[in-house]
Amino acid sequence: MHRSPALDAVLFRPTPDALWELRAELLEAGDTDPELLAVVGAFHHFLSSFATATTTRDLNHLASKLDISAVGGVVLEQMLERAEPHDLARRVLTGAISEGLMVLASRQYVRGAEGEIAALLRDAAWDLYDRLWRWTSGVNPELGADERRRLLEALLGPLRSPDAPSPVKAALAGRLYQVLLVGQLDGR
């Protein structure tokens, strides 16, 4: 396949929409190679799911910050209402406890969203391992299975590491999908 705006977009600014356009170009050109279309589809799924998961996490994080801010508002509201000192202390305490529990609950949504991102990255590592194994078996059949495994483990290690930050993992997964895509197109 020749270079096109859709391919350039996928390689330099990958988005689900860019992959949609690339798939349309491939099909229009009559390129229905199942492995190529599967890589395009897997890359699209990864980008789309990652965008959704990070948006959810970011919105939950914002909601949590708003909940934290609301605690101050509740306390201020309680303090501004006329009441006996012992009633004021009781109302401020119960309001702060109630709002504090809401904050803790909203933080759990953030943790849940981060768990979804981690699962998506684990799934990407799983998918990439299989695809890279098959692709490298075709382009370098002389490489022994034990060496291929060692190299793939090293390459995908950061995706599986609990210490690597999610943005680094996502960038690595995206780059590997791009390599697979170019590798599939290069054979044409």
Side-chain angles (χ1 to χ4, degrees):
M1 178 180 186
H2 68 285
R3 292 280 300 264
S4 70
L7 180 58
D8 285 346
V10 168
L11 296 178
F12 299 108
R13 295 169 309 284
T15 64
D17 287 341
L19 284 155
W20 180 277
E21 289 299 316
L22 179 61
R23 180 187 63 166
E25 283 185 10
L26 290 169
L27 292 171
E28 182 180 19
D31 197 340
T32 58
D33 176 56
E35 187 60 30
L36 172 60
L37 294 175
V39 169
V40 171
F43 193 13
H44 178 274
H45 175 74
F46 171 74
L47 289 178
S48 181
S49 297
F50 189 76
T52 300
T54 55
T55 298
T56 299
R57 181 205 53 208
D58 293 346
L59 290 173
N60 286 334
H61 191 64
L62 176 60
S64 180
K65 287 180 178 180
L66 293 172
D67 279 345
I68 291 168
S69 299
V71 172
V74 167
V75 171
L76 181 61
E77 176 187 342
Q78 298 294 335
M79 291 176 65
L80 292 176
E81 288 185 19
R82 295 197 184 271
E84 295 297 317
H86 68 281
D87 284 342
L88 175 61
R90 181 183 52 78
R91 288 180 27 219
V92 167
L93 179 63
T94 58
I97 290 172
S98 174
E99 290 296 317
L101 290 172
M102 286 177 47
V103 168
L104 289 175
S106 69
R107 295 307 302 165
Q108 297 310 305
Y109 289 119
V110 173
R111 286 182 63 198
E114 288 171 353
E116 289 177 20
I117 292 169
L120 170 66
L121 292 166
R122 283 192 305 273
D123 288 347
W126 182 274
D127 180 59
L128 285 163
Y129 192 98
D130 289 347
R131 291 179 191 284
L132 288 165
W133 185 282
R134 288 191 309 271
W135 178 63
T136 59
S137 293
V139 296
N140 190 1
E142 301 84 34
L143 188 64
D146 58 335
E147 183 65 7
R148 187 178 319 282
R149 177 181 179 179
R150 188 188 68 71
L151 292 170
L152 285 174
E153 293 288 342
L155 179 63
L156 296 170
L159 264 175
R160 300 185 66 228
S161 170
D163 300 326
S166 293
V168 171
K169 292 178 181 184
L172 175 59
R175 184 61 66 194
L176 291 174
Y177 277 116
Q178 289 171 323
V179 166
L180 282 169
L181 181 61
V182 169
Q184 292 294 324
L185 289 170
D186 193 40
R188 305 199 179 307

